[in-house]
Amino acid sequence: MSPLSRRDFLRVGMTASAAAGLGLIPLKTHAAENATRPNILFIFSDDHACNAIGAYGSKINQTPNIDRIAREGAVFLNNTCCNSICAPSRAAVLTGKHSHANGQMTNKETFDGAQPTFPKLLQQAGYETALIGKWHLRSDPTGFDYWDVLPGQGKYYNPDFISAEGTRQVFGYNTDVVTDLSIRWMQEQRDPEKPFLLMCQYKAPHRSWMPNSEHLDLYEDETIPEPPNLFDDYSGRTSSIKQNEMTIANHLMMGYDLKVLPPEEGRDADLFPHTSYMQMSPDQKAAWDAAFEPRNEAFKAANLQGDDLVRWKYQRYIKNYLRCIASIDDNIGRLLDYLEWSGQLDNSIVVYSSDQGFYLGEHGMYDKRWMYEESLKMPLVMRWPERIAPGTKIDALTQNIDFAPTFLEAGGVTPPAEMQGESLIPLLQNPDAEWRDAIYYHYYEEGEHNVARHEGVRTERYKLIHFYDANEWEFYDLEEDPYEMQSRYDDPEYAEEVQRLKVVLNDLREQYRVTN
Ligand code: SGN
Ligand code: CA
């Protein structure tokens, strides 16, 4: 393990000699600097569902450091993405615009980095800007004084990074390494005279859910509670959900996803040569094999079938997913410690979010893409003592297009008219401030996992979804049916509300100038 990936990095970094050993040079200025404009530390992960965050009432894990941000700041309880997939969500965050307006409708386009983004506008206004970690937008980042990104999805172990200087491999576990590089940039690579924006973006907990060596035993002796609809039979809904290819039962791969087959053997390895088992060091491999081999032997001996096998797959999947989150939470603790130690915590906005939610067995699924709650919702917690009272809870229907106008306003920049989101700052001070009463959603990608394209609208209580290729509609009363198990689209009791939401959907299409 590299010295920088040690969890006690900051504690050993406190003393001058240890700091020198790590190559750290103390900053010239600390708390007094930038008194007027806050730093912005934007911590962003990949596929972290609200249901796996303590501050959102997780029943399956604990996240003390993310919860600290929420407890000392605000938690947005109804934050959503506008298109539940990676590159489109990231583009919406950067541009403050819906997918059709920023051009990133699926993971397949190349992001148009010439358009206005909040990092670029903050940079022009005198912020020092950096991006470290997952990017996934194909074009070179624009608007950053410094960038150091993972190619594509990035690898969990010993990942490559691409910077303006070229590609290099860094030894260590991805989440630790991204944090190390982030702390190093804040501490010694930036201009301390300027306020900073740092986007620290983790690969985890994205598929294929590979935990760090130190967390391989976490949860092993526990049974993680199952969601009530793990065995969803998809009755009561349209044909779309029945055709999904993201079930725990049938679509998780025994090697790549569930770690039963050695990844270098057979079909899984052929399909997914990027699994980072192949590039682990001997010690990393030894820890991995020591954890999984005996468990796999016991699994094979048990010869599970039917629902028992599905339950086992759920446990194997969710435990590895949660172990990846344990590393994220540890590293958020390190970032908070660093800001506190360097006297910058209280003049910084610290945000944690993730590009979309994820199915943790709900509807029998993993992955995202659908407009159903668990992947529509996007975590958002924010600490900013100057503007947010501790323990603030915000129920308003916020969305990822609101992030850019918020950060711009915080940095004293007026958002350009083409940004479609709204600054969240009025809500921070008054969670009951006037706000939109419906959000627009549109998923465009066709391909992996077989999710039909759809658009829709969600209000505080209702949701209308249109799978427009098959012209199928679904309608949910979220108060009566929070798990979305029964579409009420054809129920006469809801006819009026369905019609009302169709009008709202059209209004939103007009407001956002959606033409496709
Ligand atoms: C990969 C994954 C998918 C996942 C997409 C998009 N397959 O293709 O399961 O939905 O990424 O994820 S994998 O077998 O290659 O891991 S996204 O978060 O980047 O949009
Ligand atoms: Ca993602």
Side-chain angles (χ1 to χ4, degrees):
M1 186 180 282
S2 84
L4 277 177
S5 65
R6 288 159 56 176
R7 285 174 56 195
D8 57 358
F9 169 77
L10 284 165
R11 278 186 294 276
V12 300
M14 294 300 126
T15 66
S17 60
L22 292 170
L24 294 181
I25 304 156
L27 280 177
K28 288 195 294 287
T29 54
H30 288 311
E33 67 177 311
N34 314 325
T36 47
R37 293 195 293 175
N39 303 311
I40 303 170
L41 172 58
F42 179 74
I43 312 167
F44 205 48
S45 66
D46 195 352
D47 294 358
H48 190 173
C50 293
N51 283 342
I53 296 180
Y56 286 88
S58 171
K59 299 185 178 75
I60 55 177
N61 70 333
Q62 295 181 340
T63 49
N65 292 299
I66 298 172
D67 300 354
R68 175 181 172 194
I69 300 173
R71 194 176 58 245
E72 297 177 356
V75 56
F76 290 79
L77 294 164
N78 284 302
N79 188 56
T80 57
C81 56
C82 61
N83 181 357
S84 183
I85 184 137
C86 184
S89 177
R90 285 158 203 267
V93 165
L94 290 166
T95 63
K97 295 186 287 197
H98 277 282
S99 306
H100 65 280
N102 66 45
Q104 193 76 42
M105 283 137 86
T106 72
N107 273 348
K108 293 165 192 159
E109 296 91 4
T110 297
F111 179 64
D112 168 15
Q115 60 191 312
T117 62
F118 83 87
K120 199 183 293 178
L121 295 168
L122 286 177
Q123 185 188 42
Q124 284 164 11
Y127 269 72
E128 176 104 343
T129 58
L131 162 70
I132 298 173
K134 182 159 177 188
W135 172 242
H136 204 209
L137 289 172
R138 294 175 194 261
S139 50
D140 280 357
T142 57
F144 296 98
D145 295 296
Y146 179 88
W147 52 273
D148 201 5
V149 300
L150 302 163
Q153 296 282 6
K155 289 186 173 146
Y156 271 108
Y157 279 83
N158 312 329
D160 282 350
F161 281 83
I162 308 176
S163 71
E165 274 88 57
T167 302
R168 71 194 192 288
Q169 189 177 15
V170 181
F171 184 78
Y173 183 68
N174 192 308
T175 310
D176 294 340
V177 172
V178 167
T179 311
D180 295 343
L181 296 173
S182 296
I183 293 175
R184 189 180 282 278
W185 180 81
M186 287 189 283
Q187 174 69 12
E188 65 178 28
Q189 287 171 301
R190 69 185 185 90
D191 176 354
E193 303 305 323
K194 291 181 174 179
F196 71 79
L197 161 71
L198 170 59
M199 302 183 79
C200 166
Q201 309 203 142
Y202 297 126
K203 176 217 169 58
H206 192 275
R207 193 179 185 186
S208 62
W209 317 295
M210 296 181 75
N212 193 4
S213 313
E214 67 188 1
H215 288 314
L216 285 167
D217 292 334
L218 195 62
Y219 308 114
E220 197 47 32
D221 300 327
E222 296 168 37
T223 302
I224 308 290
E226 292 166 3
N229 52 355
L230 178 61
F231 293 95
D232 192 348
D233 65 4
Y234 307 134
S235 59
R237 279 143 293 167
T238 65
S239 68
S240 300
I241 192 170
K242 299 180 179 71
Q243 291 160 11
N244 88 75
E245 292 174 4
M246 53 170 83
T247 61
I248 305 270
N250 300 319
H251 301 98
L252 286 174
M253 299 191 184
M254 288 310 278
Y256 178 71
D257 292 315
L258 298 173
K259 330 298 180 200
V260 174
L261 299 171
E264 72 271 28
E265 274 177 26
R267 176 174 170 268
D268 293 357
D270 295 342
L271 275 177
F272 300 104
H274 58 270
T275 177
S276 66
Y277 180 84
M278 316 305 251
Q279 59 183 51
M280 284 181 180
S281 71
D283 281 358
Q284 291 166 340
K285 262 190 186 157
W288 185 270
D289 292 340
F292 286 112
E293 275 171 5
R295 296 172 201 168
N296 291 343
E297 288 313 311
F299 163 68
K300 285 174 196 156
N303 193 25
L304 301 172
Q305 308 289 332
D307 288 357
D308 291 340
L309 181 57
V310 176
R311 294 203 150 95
W312 181 89
K313 288 182 180 179
Y314 167 75
Q315 292 296 324
R316 176 59 65 95
Y317 155 63
I318 197 71
K319 286 177 183 177
N320 285 330
Y321 178 88
L322 295 177
R323 289 166 181 147
C324 291
I325 289 168
S327 283
I328 292 176
D329 196 71
D330 291 347
N331 277 290
I332 291 175
R334 293 177 62 214
L335 290 165
L336 292 171
D337 275 359
Y338 169 74
L339 288 179
E340 205 157 23
W341 169 76
S342 58
Q344 301 176 97
L345 185 59
D346 287 346
N347 66 331
S348 299
I349 303 177
V350 180
V351 175
Y352 178 69
S353 183
S354 192
D355 60 350
Q356 2 74 204
F358 213 66
Y359 297 100
L360 306 179
E362 300 92 354
H363 302 291
M365 298 193 295
Y366 64 96
D367 212 69
K368 53 261 179 177
R369 299 161 191 265
W370 303 97
M371 198 189 164
Y372 305 123
E373 288 296 275
E374 295 82 2
S375 76
L376 172 68
K377 284 222 174 132
M378 183 174 166
L380 177 61
V381 296
M382 193 182 293
R383 186 186 187 282
W384 185 13
E386 207 180 284
R387 303 294 273 274
I388 309 176
T392 300
K393 290 192 171 21
I394 296 173
D395 286 315
L397 296 169
T398 61
Q399 205 165 29
N400 51 358
I401 56 170
D402 301 325
F403 291 18
T406 306
F407 300 141
L408 287 173
E409 191 185 331
V413 179
T414 306
E418 66 183 86
M419 289 196 173
Q420 299 177 319
E422 301 289 334
S423 165
L424 300 169
I425 290 179
L427 290 174
L428 299 178
Q429 282 156 322
N430 174 15
D432 299 322
E434 202 175 314
W435 194 251
R436 66 169 73 91
D437 51 21
I439 55 108
Y440 175 71
Y441 179 87
H442 200 147
Y443 171 80
Y444 299 85
E445 185 159 314
E446 294 170 288
E448 200 176 359
H449 300 301
N450 205 30
V451 174
R453 299 187 297 173
H454 56 288
E455 67 174 349
V457 57
R458 186 197 188 280
T459 64
E460 190 191 340
R461 176 164 176 184
Y462 300 108
K463 185 184 291 179
L464 179 70
I465 311 178
H466 189 203
F467 295 96
Y468 46 86
D469 292 318
N471 196 22
E472 292 179 329
W473 295 82
E474 294 180 3
F475 177 87
Y476 297 97
D477 179 341
L478 299 168
E479 204 172 283
E480 298 289 319
D481 180 20
Y483 287 97
E484 298 161 292
M485 299 297 283
Q486 179 64 53
S487 169
R488 301 302 191 111
Y489 183 74
D490 294 319
D491 185 336
E493 198 192 317
Y494 289 98
E496 215 172 291
E497 198 57 43
V498 168
Q499 285 316 312
R500 195 183 75 79
L501 256 63
K502 284 191 173 176
V503 172
V504 174
L505 179 58
N506 271 324
D507 290 349
L508 288 175
R509 285 180 59 90
E510 261 175 46
Q511 180 190 333
Y512 294 127
R513 296 180 297 280
V514 186
T515 51
N516 44 338

